Amino acid sequence: MMRAVRGLLALVVVVGLVLAGAFVFARSKALGRLDKTWPVHAVDFPVPFPLSDDELAALRAEKAAGLDPDAGVVDVLAGVDVNALAQERAVARGKHLLESRYGCFDCHGRDLGGGTMIDAPPVGQFFGLNLTSGKGGVVSKYTVADWDRIVRHGVKPDGRGTIMPSVDFLSMSDQELSDIISYVRALPPVDREQPRPEFGPVGLVLLAKGDINVTAEIADHQKAHERFPPSSADPKVFGKHLAQVCVGCHGRSLKGGPIAGGDPSWPPAADISHSALASWTMEDFKRALVEGKRKDGQPLKVPMSFITAYGGKLTEQELVAMWTFLHEG
Ligand code: HEC
Ligand code: HEC
């Protein structure tokens, strides 16, 4: 009897040691992923972008239309503050980008003063930091290159990778990022201090297994970014650009599957590739993206049901472009 108990105890100790060893190994592997530093190219672009030649031409035509041609006015834009106009338009574009596509509010809060990505202690506590100029804000000293590094490469100012999923932002153009910066800088300051991400044991194992993505590992850190988003004149090309914000969940091939780093209760993302949507109509697509309903009218589950908050803000032209790309492939 004693021998049996002793045997059992020994087994428990051995299993315990093996598990502890496996955990120590997983922990060091996980933290190793986040300790690695990534050299990222240095970029520069204006904030805000100045008015384009087309915008200036349209403005000239608009002003000239209101003038008496005999009055001899040489510069119709004299007295027009083009810089203030550029700033105003950049902030409006940035607001639209965040409301309709780029999900910064989801984790950084609707006021961007700090929010929650995941708050589940066994997995971890991951808070989006404060992006305003208030107390606890982290971007007050940010250069344009710092913004590029964190948003389009998933790399923090100290060169280390982060779990902030930037996979949806990899093909954001310079102008879009500049517009987002203009919008963020124009926000009222919020005083809120958020702690840095803290991993729990389950989160460390998921990170070690590769079930939580580190964008820095997949981004191309030297490839030049596009200066502008593609023109809306070609809906397929423009739609492909817009649909890049769907890849974080639906995968780069858009074929769906389990969502990396997502809540374990979420269903796998659906297949929304060209062949899967072959029998869909534009109306079916709008119902999914704007009303959160499947083709058969049943409600879509979380987290797709959250996406309708964004889908409803896309312009008709953007919805059509996204649909054209997804449907025609
Ligand atoms: C899914 C959640 C999530 C989304 C979406 C998200 N972030 Fe973050 N972000 C985080 C987390 C978590 C951190 C803290 C990362 C860390 O310290 O490792 C962070 C950190 C940051 C930082 C500070 C980095 C530093 O260390 O100085 C900036 C700037 C930032 N995010 C900007 C953005 C912008 C802009 C967007 C939208 C284009 C965005 N984030 C979208 C979760 C998110
Ligand atoms: C946060 C993760 C997430 C994001 C981002 C996301 N989706 Fe989804 N999507 C899902 C999940 C999960 C489902 C499956 C929902 C269900 O089973 O009810 C889904 C389902 C769908 C469906 C329904 C497919 C069907 O067969 O019923 C469509 C259409 C769709 N998504 C389009 C998009 C588009 C377009 C985007 C980008 C603008 C997008 N999704 C972004 C997670 C996401």
mmCIF file of all heavy atoms in Angstrom, residues 100-101 168 242-243 245-250 257 259 266-272 276-277 280 284-285 288-289 293-295 299-307 314 322 326, ligand 2:
data_model
loop_
_atom_site.group_PDB
_atom_site.id
_atom_site.type_symbol
_atom_site.label_atom_id
_atom_site.label_comp_id
_atom_site.label_asym_id
_atom_site.label_seq_id
_atom_site.Cartn_x
_atom_site.Cartn_y
_atom_site.Cartn_z
ATOM 1 N N SER A 100 -14.678 53.829 -40.485
ATOM 2 C CA SER A 100 -15.187 52.862 -41.457
ATOM 3 C C SER A 100 -14.289 51.641 -41.635
ATOM 4 O O SER A 100 -14.735 50.625 -42.138
ATOM 5 C CB SER A 100 -15.373 53.541 -42.814
ATOM 6 O OG SER A 100 -14.120 53.932 -43.340
ATOM 7 N N ARG A 101 -12.999 51.731 -41.260
ATOM 8 C CA ARG A 101 -12.110 50.625 -41.613
ATOM 9 C C ARG A 101 -11.054 50.255 -40.590
ATOM 10 O O ARG A 101 -10.946 49.121 -40.183
ATOM 11 C CB ARG A 101 -11.388 50.969 -42.916
ATOM 12 C CG ARG A 101 -12.142 50.529 -44.137
ATOM 13 C CD ARG A 101 -11.248 50.555 -45.320
ATOM 14 N NE ARG A 101 -10.948 51.897 -45.772
ATOM 15 C CZ ARG A 101 -9.787 52.268 -46.275
ATOM 16 N NH1 ARG A 101 -8.803 51.401 -46.366
ATOM 17 N NH2 ARG A 101 -9.593 53.501 -46.683
ATOM 18 N N ASP A 168 -3.709 44.071 -40.458
ATOM 19 C CA ASP A 168 -4.690 44.780 -41.299
ATOM 20 C C ASP A 168 -4.158 46.116 -41.822
ATOM 21 O O ASP A 168 -4.823 46.760 -42.631
ATOM 22 C CB ASP A 168 -5.962 45.082 -40.485
ATOM 23 C CG ASP A 168 -6.788 43.831 -40.202
ATOM 24 O OD1 ASP A 168 -6.506 42.771 -40.787
ATOM 25 O OD2 ASP A 168 -7.721 43.921 -39.389
ATOM 26 N N LEU A 242 -9.254 48.199 -49.892
ATOM 27 C CA LEU A 242 -10.187 48.336 -48.760
ATOM 28 C C LEU A 242 -10.306 47.019 -47.980
ATOM 29 O O LEU A 242 -10.404 47.019 -46.755
ATOM 30 C CB LEU A 242 -11.578 48.740 -49.257
ATOM 31 C CG LEU A 242 -11.698 50.068 -50.009
ATOM 32 C CD1 LEU A 242 -13.124 50.257 -50.514
ATOM 33 C CD2 LEU A 242 -11.314 51.238 -49.102
ATOM 34 N N ALA A 243 -10.276 45.903 -48.712
ATOM 35 C CA ALA A 243 -10.492 44.598 -48.067
ATOM 36 C C ALA A 243 -9.267 44.115 -47.294
ATOM 37 O O ALA A 243 -9.327 43.055 -46.661
ATOM 38 C CB ALA A 243 -10.909 43.563 -49.108
ATOM 39 N N VAL A 245 -8.358 45.198 -44.622
ATOM 40 C CA VAL A 245 -8.689 45.205 -43.186
ATOM 41 C C VAL A 245 -9.491 43.966 -42.787
ATOM 42 O O VAL A 245 -9.872 43.827 -41.639
ATOM 43 C CB VAL A 245 -9.465 46.482 -42.765
ATOM 44 C CG1 VAL A 245 -8.624 47.713 -43.006
ATOM 45 C CG2 VAL A 245 -10.797 46.595 -43.482
ATOM 46 N N CYS A 246 -9.778 43.088 -43.722
ATOM 47 C CA CYS A 246 -10.509 41.861 -43.391
ATOM 48 C C CYS A 246 -9.546 40.699 -43.168
ATOM 49 O O CYS A 246 -9.947 39.648 -42.653
ATOM 50 C CB CYS A 246 -11.491 41.493 -44.508
ATOM 51 S SG CYS A 246 -12.391 42.892 -45.209
ATOM 52 N N VAL A 247 -8.267 40.849 -43.570
ATOM 53 C CA VAL A 247 -7.353 39.702 -43.570
ATOM 54 C C VAL A 247 -6.946 39.235 -42.167
ATOM 55 O O VAL A 247 -6.642 38.071 -41.971
ATOM 56 C CB VAL A 247 -6.085 39.940 -44.433
ATOM 57 C CG1 VAL A 247 -6.460 40.342 -45.855
ATOM 58 C CG2 VAL A 247 -5.152 40.957 -43.808
ATOM 59 N N GLY A 248 -6.962 40.149 -41.183
ATOM 60 C CA GLY A 248 -6.568 39.782 -39.818
ATOM 61 C C GLY A 248 -7.423 38.626 -39.315
ATOM 62 O O GLY A 248 -6.943 37.745 -38.617
ATOM 63 N N CYS A 249 -8.712 38.610 -39.677
ATOM 64 C CA CYS A 249 -9.598 37.518 -39.258
ATOM 65 C C CYS A 249 -9.812 36.501 -40.363
ATOM 66 O O CYS A 249 -9.795 35.300 -40.117
ATOM 67 C CB CYS A 249 -10.947 38.086 -38.825
ATOM 68 S SG CYS A 249 -10.871 39.030 -37.305
ATOM 69 N N HIS A 250 -10.062 36.970 -41.596
ATOM 70 C CA HIS A 250 -10.408 36.031 -42.676
ATOM 71 C C HIS A 250 -9.167 35.434 -43.344
ATOM 72 O O HIS A 250 -9.296 34.591 -44.220
ATOM 73 C CB HIS A 250 -11.296 36.720 -43.717
ATOM 74 C CG HIS A 250 -12.696 36.949 -43.216
ATOM 75 N ND1 HIS A 250 -13.670 35.994 -43.283
ATOM 76 C CD2 HIS A 250 -13.259 38.012 -42.594
ATOM 77 C CE1 HIS A 250 -14.795 36.457 -42.745
ATOM 78 N NE2 HIS A 250 -14.566 37.683 -42.315
ATOM 79 N N GLY A 257 -11.117 30.541 -41.342
ATOM 80 C CA GLY A 257 -10.463 29.595 -40.429
ATOM 81 C C GLY A 257 -10.386 30.201 -39.039
ATOM 82 O O GLY A 257 -10.884 31.316 -38.813
ATOM 83 N N ILE A 259 -9.408 32.233 -35.794
ATOM 84 C CA ILE A 259 -8.842 33.587 -35.747
ATOM 85 C C ILE A 259 -7.668 33.630 -34.768
ATOM 86 O O ILE A 259 -7.858 33.429 -33.562
ATOM 87 C CB ILE A 259 -9.927 34.616 -35.361
ATOM 88 C CG1 ILE A 259 -11.052 34.579 -36.410
ATOM 89 C CG2 ILE A 259 -9.344 36.013 -35.224
ATOM 90 C CD1 ILE A 259 -12.259 35.433 -36.076
ATOM 91 N N TRP A 266 -14.979 32.575 -30.085
ATOM 92 C CA TRP A 266 -15.373 33.025 -31.424
ATOM 93 C C TRP A 266 -15.438 31.862 -32.399
ATOM 94 O O TRP A 266 -14.579 30.968 -32.356
ATOM 95 C CB TRP A 266 -14.361 34.041 -31.977
ATOM 96 C CG TRP A 266 -14.365 35.356 -31.289
ATOM 97 C CD1 TRP A 266 -15.250 35.816 -30.363
ATOM 98 C CD2 TRP A 266 -13.394 36.408 -31.478
ATOM 99 N NE1 TRP A 266 -14.888 37.086 -29.964
ATOM 100 C CE2 TRP A 266 -13.768 37.461 -30.629
ATOM 101 C CE3 TRP A 266 -12.257 36.551 -32.281
ATOM 102 C CZ2 TRP A 266 -13.041 38.655 -30.568
ATOM 103 C CZ3 TRP A 266 -11.539 37.729 -32.222
ATOM 104 C CH2 TRP A 266 -11.931 38.774 -31.374
ATOM 105 N N PRO A 267 -16.421 31.873 -33.322
ATOM 106 C CA PRO A 267 -16.421 30.837 -34.367
ATOM 107 C C PRO A 267 -15.300 31.130 -35.351
ATOM 108 O O PRO A 267 -14.774 32.248 -35.369
ATOM 109 C CB PRO A 267 -17.784 31.033 -35.042
ATOM 110 C CG PRO A 267 -18.114 32.476 -34.837
ATOM 111 C CD PRO A 267 -17.494 32.866 -33.510
ATOM 112 N N PRO A 268 -14.910 30.128 -36.158
ATOM 113 C CA PRO A 268 -13.899 30.442 -37.181
ATOM 114 C C PRO A 268 -14.449 31.477 -38.160
ATOM 115 O O PRO A 268 -15.668 31.546 -38.365
ATOM 116 C CB PRO A 268 -13.667 29.094 -37.882
ATOM 117 C CG PRO A 268 -14.740 28.178 -37.449
ATOM 118 C CD PRO A 268 -15.383 28.743 -36.217
ATOM 119 N N ALA A 269 -13.566 32.270 -38.748
ATOM 120 C CA ALA A 269 -14.007 33.245 -39.752
ATOM 121 C C ALA A 269 -14.470 32.472 -40.985
ATOM 122 O O ALA A 269 -13.929 31.424 -41.312
ATOM 123 C CB ALA A 269 -12.870 34.192 -40.096
ATOM 124 N N ALA A 270 -15.514 33.010 -41.640
ATOM 125 C CA ALA A 270 -16.079 32.334 -42.818
ATOM 126 C C ALA A 270 -15.149 32.481 -44.026
ATOM 127 O O ALA A 270 -14.305 33.367 -44.068
ATOM 128 C CB ALA A 270 -17.441 32.954 -43.124
ATOM 129 N N ASP A 271 -15.341 31.611 -45.000
ATOM 130 C CA ASP A 271 -14.630 31.707 -46.282
ATOM 131 C C ASP A 271 -15.317 32.826 -47.085
ATOM 132 O O ASP A 271 -16.509 32.723 -47.402
ATOM 133 C CB ASP A 271 -14.753 30.350 -47.001
ATOM 134 C CG ASP A 271 -13.991 30.323 -48.316
ATOM 135 O OD1 ASP A 271 -13.521 31.392 -48.752
ATOM 136 O OD2 ASP A 271 -13.875 29.230 -48.907
ATOM 137 N N ILE A 272 -14.598 33.902 -47.356
ATOM 138 C CA ILE A 272 -15.198 34.983 -48.156
ATOM 139 C C ILE A 272 -14.386 35.193 -49.441
ATOM 140 O O ILE A 272 -14.338 36.273 -50.004
ATOM 141 C CB ILE A 272 -15.337 36.324 -47.365
ATOM 142 C CG1 ILE A 272 -13.992 36.807 -46.813
ATOM 143 C CG2 ILE A 272 -16.356 36.201 -46.255
ATOM 144 C CD1 ILE A 272 -14.000 38.284 -46.386
ATOM 145 N N ALA A 276 -16.269 31.246 -52.735
ATOM 146 C CA ALA A 276 -17.287 31.078 -51.693
ATOM 147 C C ALA A 276 -18.441 32.066 -51.881
ATOM 148 O O ALA A 276 -19.575 31.782 -51.515
ATOM 149 C CB ALA A 276 -16.663 31.263 -50.317
ATOM 150 N N LEU A 277 -18.149 33.242 -52.439
ATOM 151 C CA LEU A 277 -19.198 34.260 -52.589
ATOM 152 C C LEU A 277 -19.805 34.266 -53.995
ATOM 153 O O LEU A 277 -20.585 35.149 -54.334
ATOM 154 C CB LEU A 277 -18.636 35.656 -52.267
ATOM 155 C CG LEU A 277 -18.117 35.883 -50.836
ATOM 156 C CD1 LEU A 277 -17.716 37.335 -50.631
ATOM 157 C CD2 LEU A 277 -19.160 35.499 -49.782
ATOM 158 N N TRP A 280 -23.416 34.830 -54.245
ATOM 159 C CA TRP A 280 -23.937 35.977 -53.502
ATOM 160 C C TRP A 280 -24.255 37.137 -54.448
ATOM 161 O O TRP A 280 -23.652 37.263 -55.508
ATOM 162 C CB TRP A 280 -22.895 36.471 -52.495
ATOM 163 C CG TRP A 280 -22.760 35.637 -51.258
ATOM 164 C CD1 TRP A 280 -22.603 34.281 -51.205
ATOM 165 C CD2 TRP A 280 -22.760 36.100 -49.911
ATOM 166 N NE1 TRP A 280 -22.489 33.873 -49.895
ATOM 167 C CE2 TRP A 280 -22.581 34.972 -49.078
ATOM 168 C CE3 TRP A 280 -22.880 37.347 -49.319
ATOM 169 C CZ2 TRP A 280 -22.535 35.071 -47.689
ATOM 170 C CZ3 TRP A 280 -22.822 37.449 -47.933
ATOM 171 C CH2 TRP A 280 -22.665 36.316 -47.135
ATOM 172 N N ASP A 284 -26.818 40.748 -50.767
ATOM 173 C CA ASP A 284 -26.442 39.780 -49.710
ATOM 174 C C ASP A 284 -25.218 40.302 -48.961
ATOM 175 O O ASP A 284 -25.122 40.227 -47.736
ATOM 176 C CB ASP A 284 -26.063 38.411 -50.309
ATOM 177 C CG ASP A 284 -27.247 37.719 -50.982
ATOM 178 O OD1 ASP A 284 -28.380 37.962 -50.547
ATOM 179 O OD2 ASP A 284 -27.003 36.959 -51.941
ATOM 180 N N PHE A 285 -24.266 40.825 -49.734
ATOM 181 C CA PHE A 285 -23.020 41.302 -49.144
ATOM 182 C C PHE A 285 -23.282 42.487 -48.214
ATOM 183 O O PHE A 285 -22.800 42.544 -47.082
ATOM 184 C CB PHE A 285 -22.049 41.702 -50.262
ATOM 185 C CG PHE A 285 -20.765 42.302 -49.746
ATOM 186 C CD1 PHE A 285 -19.850 41.534 -49.047
ATOM 187 C CD2 PHE A 285 -20.478 43.651 -49.955
ATOM 188 C CE1 PHE A 285 -18.677 42.091 -48.565
ATOM 189 C CE2 PHE A 285 -19.310 44.206 -49.476
ATOM 190 C CZ PHE A 285 -18.411 43.425 -48.773
ATOM 191 N N ALA A 288 -24.741 41.464 -44.960
ATOM 192 C CA ALA A 288 -23.742 40.917 -44.028
ATOM 193 C C ALA A 288 -22.934 42.050 -43.393
ATOM 194 O O ALA A 288 -22.793 42.122 -42.174
ATOM 195 C CB ALA A 288 -22.820 39.949 -44.758
ATOM 196 N N LEU A 289 -22.458 42.949 -44.217
ATOM 197 C CA LEU A 289 -21.501 43.940 -43.723
ATOM 198 C C LEU A 289 -22.173 45.099 -42.973
ATOM 199 O O LEU A 289 -21.602 45.682 -42.065
ATOM 200 C CB LEU A 289 -20.694 44.497 -44.912
ATOM 201 C CG LEU A 289 -19.276 44.900 -44.567
ATOM 202 C CD1 LEU A 289 -18.496 43.716 -44.047
ATOM 203 C CD2 LEU A 289 -18.573 45.487 -45.784
ATOM 204 N N LYS A 293 -26.189 40.260 -41.097
ATOM 205 C CA LYS A 293 -26.996 39.049 -41.331
ATOM 206 C C LYS A 293 -26.382 38.199 -42.417
ATOM 207 O O LYS A 293 -25.853 38.696 -43.401
ATOM 208 C CB LYS A 293 -28.414 39.456 -41.760
ATOM 209 C CG LYS A 293 -29.192 40.071 -40.620
ATOM 210 C CD LYS A 293 -30.652 40.223 -40.990
ATOM 211 C CE LYS A 293 -31.417 40.898 -39.873
ATOM 212 N NZ LYS A 293 -32.364 41.874 -40.359
ATOM 213 N N ARG A 294 -26.520 36.860 -42.231
ATOM 214 C CA ARG A 294 -26.084 35.913 -43.258
ATOM 215 C C ARG A 294 -27.011 35.986 -44.445
ATOM 216 O O ARG A 294 -28.084 36.558 -44.365
ATOM 217 C CB ARG A 294 -26.272 34.485 -42.745
ATOM 218 C CG ARG A 294 -25.287 33.983 -41.852
ATOM 219 C CD ARG A 294 -25.772 32.599 -41.374
ATOM 220 N NE ARG A 294 -25.309 32.445 -40.030
ATOM 221 C CZ ARG A 294 -24.051 32.179 -39.744
ATOM 222 N NH1 ARG A 294 -23.179 31.983 -40.692
ATOM 223 N NH2 ARG A 294 -23.670 32.103 -38.491
ATOM 224 N N LYS A 295 -26.633 35.236 -45.486
ATOM 225 C CA LYS A 295 -27.449 35.164 -46.699
ATOM 226 C C LYS A 295 -28.858 34.662 -46.357
ATOM 227 O O LYS A 295 -29.842 35.117 -46.928
ATOM 228 C CB LYS A 295 -26.771 34.197 -47.667
ATOM 229 C CG LYS A 295 -27.120 34.412 -49.102
ATOM 230 C CD LYS A 295 -26.068 33.735 -49.961
ATOM 231 C CE LYS A 295 -26.417 33.787 -51.417
ATOM 232 N NZ LYS A 295 -27.120 32.633 -51.921
ATOM 233 N N PRO A 299 -28.702 36.033 -37.894
ATOM 234 C CA PRO A 299 -27.664 36.986 -37.487
ATOM 235 C C PRO A 299 -26.269 36.376 -37.501
ATOM 236 O O PRO A 299 -26.111 35.202 -37.155
ATOM 237 C CB PRO A 299 -28.062 37.367 -36.056
ATOM 238 C CG PRO A 299 -29.002 36.321 -35.601
ATOM 239 C CD PRO A 299 -29.641 35.700 -36.807
ATOM 240 N N LEU A 300 -25.300 37.149 -37.925
ATOM 241 C CA LEU A 300 -23.901 36.707 -37.873
ATOM 242 C C LEU A 300 -23.424 36.804 -36.433
ATOM 243 O O LEU A 300 -23.877 37.662 -35.677
ATOM 244 C CB LEU A 300 -23.039 37.575 -38.774
ATOM 245 C CG LEU A 300 -23.150 37.247 -40.269
ATOM 246 C CD1 LEU A 300 -22.698 38.422 -41.107
ATOM 247 C CD2 LEU A 300 -22.323 36.009 -40.597
ATOM 248 N N LYS A 301 -22.503 35.902 -36.071
ATOM 249 C CA LYS A 301 -22.036 35.863 -34.675
ATOM 250 C C LYS A 301 -20.920 36.880 -34.427
ATOM 251 O O LYS A 301 -20.295 37.381 -35.362
ATOM 252 C CB LYS A 301 -21.506 34.462 -34.376
ATOM 253 C CG LYS A 301 -22.573 33.377 -34.501
ATOM 254 C CD LYS A 301 -22.078 32.085 -33.833
ATOM 255 C CE LYS A 301 -23.075 30.964 -34.051
ATOM 256 N NZ LYS A 301 -22.587 29.954 -34.995
ATOM 257 N N VAL A 302 -20.660 37.102 -33.137
ATOM 258 C CA VAL A 302 -19.500 37.881 -32.699
ATOM 259 C C VAL A 302 -18.255 37.144 -33.189
ATOM 260 O O VAL A 302 -18.241 35.908 -33.105
ATOM 261 C CB VAL A 302 -19.491 37.937 -31.150
ATOM 262 C CG1 VAL A 302 -18.187 38.523 -30.643
ATOM 263 C CG2 VAL A 302 -20.681 38.723 -30.621
ATOM 264 N N PRO A 303 -17.198 37.779 -33.696
ATOM 265 C CA PRO A 303 -16.997 39.222 -33.770
ATOM 266 C C PRO A 303 -17.464 39.848 -35.085
ATOM 267 O O PRO A 303 -17.363 41.030 -35.249
ATOM 268 C CB PRO A 303 -15.475 39.341 -33.660
ATOM 269 C CG PRO A 303 -14.972 38.109 -34.360
ATOM 270 C CD PRO A 303 -15.983 37.039 -34.079
ATOM 271 N N MET A 304 -17.983 39.013 -36.041
ATOM 272 C CA MET A 304 -18.403 39.625 -37.314
ATOM 273 C C MET A 304 -19.515 40.630 -37.071
ATOM 274 O O MET A 304 -19.605 41.642 -37.765
ATOM 275 C CB MET A 304 -18.848 38.531 -38.301
ATOM 276 C CG MET A 304 -19.123 39.041 -39.704
ATOM 277 S SD MET A 304 -17.674 39.863 -40.439
ATOM 278 C CE MET A 304 -18.471 40.992 -41.565
ATOM 279 N N SER A 305 -20.346 40.361 -36.037
ATOM 280 C CA SER A 305 -21.452 41.285 -35.769
ATOM 281 C C SER A 305 -20.929 42.672 -35.368
ATOM 282 O O SER A 305 -21.605 43.673 -35.551
ATOM 283 C CB SER A 305 -22.345 40.714 -34.666
ATOM 284 O OG SER A 305 -21.565 40.391 -33.546
ATOM 285 N N PHE A 306 -19.688 42.728 -34.833
ATOM 286 C CA PHE A 306 -19.102 44.043 -34.481
ATOM 287 C C PHE A 306 -18.741 44.838 -35.736
ATOM 288 O O PHE A 306 -18.672 46.064 -35.705
ATOM 289 C CB PHE A 306 -17.799 43.892 -33.684
ATOM 290 C CG PHE A 306 -17.951 43.230 -32.338
ATOM 291 C CD1 PHE A 306 -16.887 42.551 -31.764
ATOM 292 C CD2 PHE A 306 -19.147 43.304 -31.637
ATOM 293 C CE1 PHE A 306 -17.011 41.948 -30.524
ATOM 294 C CE2 PHE A 306 -19.276 42.705 -30.395
ATOM 295 C CZ PHE A 306 -18.210 42.020 -29.842
ATOM 296 N N ILE A 307 -18.432 44.103 -36.808
ATOM 297 C CA ILE A 307 -17.902 44.760 -38.008
ATOM 298 C C ILE A 307 -18.949 45.670 -38.648
ATOM 299 O O ILE A 307 -18.619 46.598 -39.376
ATOM 300 C CB ILE A 307 -17.377 43.702 -39.024
ATOM 301 C CG1 ILE A 307 -16.340 42.796 -38.355
ATOM 302 C CG2 ILE A 307 -16.771 44.329 -40.269
ATOM 303 C CD1 ILE A 307 -15.137 43.510 -37.779
ATOM 304 N N LEU A 314 -19.042 52.809 -44.286
ATOM 305 C CA LEU A 314 -18.406 52.852 -45.607
ATOM 306 C C LEU A 314 -19.332 53.603 -46.561
ATOM 307 O O LEU A 314 -20.564 53.492 -46.456
ATOM 308 C CB LEU A 314 -18.186 51.427 -46.137
ATOM 309 C CG LEU A 314 -17.086 50.614 -45.450
ATOM 310 C CD1 LEU A 314 -17.222 49.132 -45.805
ATOM 311 C CD2 LEU A 314 -15.701 51.124 -45.841
ATOM 312 N N MET A 322 -15.484 47.193 -52.625
ATOM 313 C CA MET A 322 -15.103 46.021 -51.835
ATOM 314 C C MET A 322 -15.800 44.780 -52.390
ATOM 315 O O MET A 322 -15.208 43.724 -52.554
ATOM 316 C CB MET A 322 -15.499 46.260 -50.371
ATOM 317 C CG MET A 322 -14.608 45.560 -49.380
ATOM 318 S SD MET A 322 -15.244 45.782 -47.731
ATOM 319 C CE MET A 322 -14.152 46.977 -47.063
ATOM 320 N N LEU A 326 -14.215 41.351 -53.985
ATOM 321 C CA LEU A 326 -14.458 40.044 -53.366
ATOM 322 C C LEU A 326 -15.200 39.111 -54.325
ATOM 323 O O LEU A 326 -14.913 37.924 -54.398
ATOM 324 C CB LEU A 326 -15.266 40.197 -52.072
ATOM 325 C CG LEU A 326 -14.539 40.854 -50.895
ATOM 326 C CD1 LEU A 326 -15.498 41.095 -49.737
ATOM 327 C CD2 LEU A 326 -13.366 39.994 -50.416
HETATM 328 C C1 HEC B 2 -12.692 40.456 -35.976
HETATM 329 C C2 HEC B 2 -12.714 39.429 -36.994
HETATM 330 C C3 HEC B 2 -13.369 39.730 -38.332
HETATM 331 C C4 HEC B 2 -13.132 40.795 -39.158
HETATM 332 C C5 HEC B 2 -12.168 41.972 -38.957
HETATM 333 C C6 HEC B 2 -13.957 40.585 -40.320
HETATM 334 N N1 HEC B 2 -14.684 39.435 -40.195
HETATM 335 FE FE1 HEC B 2 -16.103 38.730 -41.499
HETATM 336 N N2 HEC B 2 -16.505 37.158 -40.284
HETATM 337 C C7 HEC B 2 -15.827 36.882 -39.108
HETATM 338 C C8 HEC B 2 -16.385 35.670 -38.528
HETATM 339 C C9 HEC B 2 -15.948 35.014 -37.230
HETATM 340 C C10 HEC B 2 -17.417 35.238 -39.398
HETATM 341 C C11 HEC B 2 -18.338 34.039 -39.206
HETATM 342 C C12 HEC B 2 -19.508 34.515 -38.388
HETATM 343 C C13 HEC B 2 -20.540 33.470 -38.128
HETATM 344 O O1 HEC B 2 -20.234 32.281 -38.265
HETATM 345 O O2 HEC B 2 -21.680 33.858 -37.759
HETATM 346 C C14 HEC B 2 -17.463 36.211 -40.491
HETATM 347 C C15 HEC B 2 -18.361 36.159 -41.533
HETATM 348 C C16 HEC B 2 -18.370 37.032 -42.615
HETATM 349 C C17 HEC B 2 -19.307 36.971 -43.731
HETATM 350 C C18 HEC B 2 -20.464 35.991 -43.879
HETATM 351 C C19 HEC B 2 -20.040 34.811 -44.696
HETATM 352 C C20 HEC B 2 -21.087 33.730 -44.759
HETATM 353 O O3 HEC B 2 -20.796 32.739 -45.439
HETATM 354 O O4 HEC B 2 -22.144 33.854 -44.134
HETATM 355 C C21 HEC B 2 -18.943 37.976 -44.606
HETATM 356 C C22 HEC B 2 -19.602 38.301 -45.950
HETATM 357 C C23 HEC B 2 -17.817 38.645 -44.031
HETATM 358 N N3 HEC B 2 -17.500 38.057 -42.815
HETATM 359 C C24 HEC B 2 -17.165 39.710 -44.634
HETATM 360 C C25 HEC B 2 -16.149 40.456 -44.025
HETATM 361 C C26 HEC B 2 -15.507 41.592 -44.655
HETATM 362 C C27 HEC B 2 -15.774 42.097 -46.065
HETATM 363 C C28 HEC B 2 -14.618 42.075 -43.746
HETATM 364 C C29 HEC B 2 -13.712 43.292 -43.877
HETATM 365 C C30 HEC B 2 -14.360 44.549 -44.149
HETATM 366 C C31 HEC B 2 -14.712 41.250 -42.552
HETATM 367 N N4 HEC B 2 -15.642 40.266 -42.764
HETATM 368 C C32 HEC B 2 -13.976 41.449 -41.400
HETATM 369 C C33 HEC B 2 -14.817 37.638 -38.524
HETATM 370 C C34 HEC B 2 -14.341 38.862 -38.993
#
